[in-house]
Amino acid sequence: MNSRPYQHIRVEPLSSALGAEISGVDLARGLSDEVFAEVRRAFFENLVVMIRDQDLTEDQQCDFAARFGKLTKSAGLAGTSRVFMVTKKATDRGRNVGGHWHADGTQMERSPLGSALYALEIPPYGGDTMFCNLYMAYESLSPGMKKLADSLILVHSGTMGYGGQGHVAQDVIDKRPEMYDFEAGRIDAEHPLVRIIPQTGRKVLYAPSPMSFYFKDMSVADSAPLIKYFQEIAEKPEFTCRFRWTKGALMLWDNRATYHYALNDYHGWDRTMRRVQIEGERPFGPAKPPTEAVPEVVATVRAADPVVA
Ligand code: SIN
């Protein structure tokens, strides 16, 4: 990655795959346009950024996230608030929210560009969040597999994902039923498996998530081995990074170019996070042309190490 130096902020990469910590900003006071432009560039270059030691009200968190785009409600979230509390109590047993590799809201027509997650309460150990770089996943494919991937449309189905045989764990919903609106989450979308991220002009493997069940024009059975294959590529340890939380940390991730995994290794402790989501463009790529104006390229991103490929 040949990033231009930053003038107003400090950006420290976390791994050679993705992720960085930004320091030198106080989000509660608001950012000038110059400083925000650097934070935005650092975000698109590193895909996930964490800014520690922030003291943010809900409104301040929303105001910061809204500088990246319109805020959008999480799919399947009850009520009118755009804020989703990601909570696990000391007394909770079983699965946590997001305790598997996934991207948020992939069944939405405009699946989120990104999320801003703020740590209100964190356990003394555990509760890290892992991410993987979907640019690297795409680049690691052989030319023949790239050609196949470029041609595929994946069906992301909230209809199949929520309830019944779905992948959304019922025990997670049962713990806080007031938070979820089953019907609102039961929507479907067809997205290209390979999408272009407008702000970098590069391709990602928009890999199958727990809401993806089959490729367009293929049966569920035909799709299953391919889905598994692409998921395993995306989750390769070499393409990941892992963030340790501290209270008051604000994290922002590109939900189109990464997958994340909230680790469930802090049983007996509370973990309380506040999440807001930023609306994305309609996914486009080689198999699906854009249907609206495409934002300009503003950032370069890290490329896959050929040794890993
Ligand atoms: C999520 O999947 O959005 C939750 C991430 C986390 O709690 O670390």
Side-chain angles (χ1 to χ4, degrees):
M1 182 181 61
N2 292 316
S3 174
R4 281 175 283 134
Y6 296 94
Q7 307 296 324
H8 304 287
I9 60 174
R10 201 175 148 81
V11 180
E12 287 178 85
L14 190 66
S15 84
S16 60
L18 77 166
E21 293 212 8
I22 294 179
S23 51
V25 294
D26 179 355
L27 301 178
R29 294 183 60 189
L31 305 181
S32 67
D33 289 346
E34 294 76 28
V35 175
F36 177 70
E38 288 201 346
V39 170
R40 184 167 178 266
R41 177 159 66 87
F43 167 62
F44 288 125
E45 283 181 354
N46 294 286
L47 318 186
V48 192
V49 290
M50 182 179 264
I51 310 173
R52 294 191 192 273
D53 303 322
Q54 303 297 309
D55 189 6
L56 294 178
T57 63
E58 189 176 301
D59 284 347
Q60 287 165 334
Q61 181 180 351
C62 287
D63 288 349
F64 173 64
R67 292 187 75 171
F68 290 85
K70 186 178 147 197
L71 299 188
T72 179
K73 222 178 93 170
S74 297
L77 181 65
T80 53
S81 173
R82 290 164 305 182
V83 173
F84 177 41
M85 297 305 294
V86 179
T87 306
K88 184 173 177 238
K89 291 282 173 210
T91 48
D92 285 351
R93 294 288 171 266
R95 279 178 56 171
N96 59 336
V97 175
H100 50 276
W101 283 113
H102 68 288
D104 298 324
T106 61
Q107 78 273 36
M108 296 161 82
E109 186 197 352
R110 292 171 175 277
S111 49
L113 177 153
S115 293
L117 188 67
Y118 180 63
L120 292 165
E121 194 173 20
I122 54 121
Y125 52 78
D128 296 357
T129 310
M130 292 183 69
F131 290 87
C132 63
N133 180 331
L134 299 178
Y135 290 102
M136 289 184 175
Y138 178 76
E139 287 158 14
S140 73
L141 300 176
S142 63
M145 191 52 92
K146 276 185 182 150
K147 209 165 158 187
L148 172 65
D150 281 352
S151 71
L152 293 173
I153 300 273
L154 188 59
V155 180
H156 298 256
S157 176
T159 317
M160 293 168 76
Y162 276 91
Q165 300 301 306
H167 292 199
V168 175
Q170 192 62 44
D171 63 325
V172 171
I173 292 172
D174 287 346
K175 277 176 210 133
R176 299 203 166 73
E178 71 289 353
M179 275 177 48
Y180 295 95
D181 176 349
F182 244 41
E183 288 314 310
R186 288 167 66 81
I187 47 175
D188 294 357
E190 293 181 355
H191 296 316
L193 177 66
V194 176
R195 70 186 279 188
I196 296 171
I197 303 301
Q199 292 84 3
T200 61
R202 302 236 333 258
K203 290 177 180 174
V204 295
L205 183 71
Y206 192 49
S209 78
M211 289 288 176
S212 354
F213 294 87
Y214 59 97
F215 292 104
K216 195 176 171 192
D217 303 326
M218 283 192 204
S219 65
V220 171
D222 286 351
S223 305
L226 265 178
I227 286 181
K228 185 165 179 288
Y229 171 79
F230 289 124
Q231 282 173 336
E232 284 172 1
I233 296 276
E235 296 158 14
K236 270 189 174 176
E238 294 85 350
F239 301 156
T240 67
C241 74
R242 178 170 174 156
F243 278 93
R244 174 93 194 102
W245 286 94
T246 44
K247 187 176 174 196
L250 185 282
M251 176 192 275
L252 196 64
W253 67 81
D254 189 328
N255 189 60
R256 310 159 304 172
T258 66
Y259 255 18
H260 57 282
Y261 192 132
L263 287 145
N264 189 11
D265 55 356
Y266 53 96
H267 306 297
W269 298 95
D270 290 340
R271 182 178 184 270
T272 313
M273 321 291 273
R274 196 169 59 202
R275 191 183 84 185
V276 292
Q277 287 186 330
I278 304 149
E279 187 173 84
E281 71 282 355
R282 286 194 193 91
F284 66 93
K288 196 167 187 175
T291 53
E292 57 199 348
V294 175
E296 56 172 340
V297 171
V298 293
T300 52
V301 289
R302 298 176 207 181
D305 180 343
V307 174
V308 173

